[in-house]
Amino acid sequence: QVQLVESGGGSVHPGASLNLSCVVSGDIFAVGIMGWYRQAPGKERELVATIRRGGTTNYADSMKDRFTISRDTAKNTAYLQMNDLKPEDTAVYYCNTDTVRVKNGTFYYDQWGQGTQVTVSA
């Protein structure tokens, strides 16, 4: 079994920064592409950023200037550094991985965490 657990969300004022973490737990052999998505109230879930095992990143155009995705492959962990937060960044932020291989050879696809709430308000 594989589990993704996000942390680091919270309530902040505009202009603040937050650093989200996502840990993939289980008897992990390898984790594929990791990504962050967000869903604001009344809106569809949208891509924030993804990062490949080799470090190649991809960002939604509207977030590339303020958000930075990174990962520690050895720790099966992804991070999202968010700077200069705005009220429109308020959403539940979800971690995703496209593929997880565990040590017995089983693959798990399209795994999601439960999400962490980020609220930006004055």
Side-chain angles (χ1 to χ4, degrees), residues 83-101:
N83 298 325
D84 189 24
L85 283 161
K86 304 177 186 302
E88 52 264 40
D89 295 318
T90 295
V92 178
Y93 285 71
Y94 296 92
C95 181
N96 170 270
T97 180
D98 69 334
T99 309
V100 180
R101 181 182 178 185

Side-chain angles (χ1 to χ4, degrees), residues 28-83:
I28 306 299
F29 178 79
V31 178
I33 299 171
M34 298 188 72
W36 288 96
Y37 295 76
R38 70 184 187 183
Q39 187 166 17
K43 295 187 176 181
E44 294 187 354
R45 192 172 297 188
E46 63 176 346
L47 169 71
V48 176
T50 62
I51 184 167
R52 295 182 173 270
R53 286 179 58 84
T56 301
T57 58
N58 177 57
Y59 292 89
D61 287 342
S62 62
M63 302 174 216
K64 63 175 60 177
D65 292 334
R66 298 182 295 118
F67 293 1
T68 302
I69 190 171
S70 61
R71 69 187 287 173
D72 185 332
T73 300
K75 295 182 178 179
N76 299 317
T77 300
Y79 306 94
L80 184 68
Q81 176 67 39
M82 304 186 294
N83 298 325

Side-chain angles (χ1 to χ4, degrees), residues 9-13 18 86-87 89-91 93 117-121:
S11 294
V12 298
H13 294 303
L18 284 174
K86 304 177 186 302
D89 295 318
T90 295
Y93 285 71
Q117 177 71 47
V118 172
T119 302
V120 186
S121 65

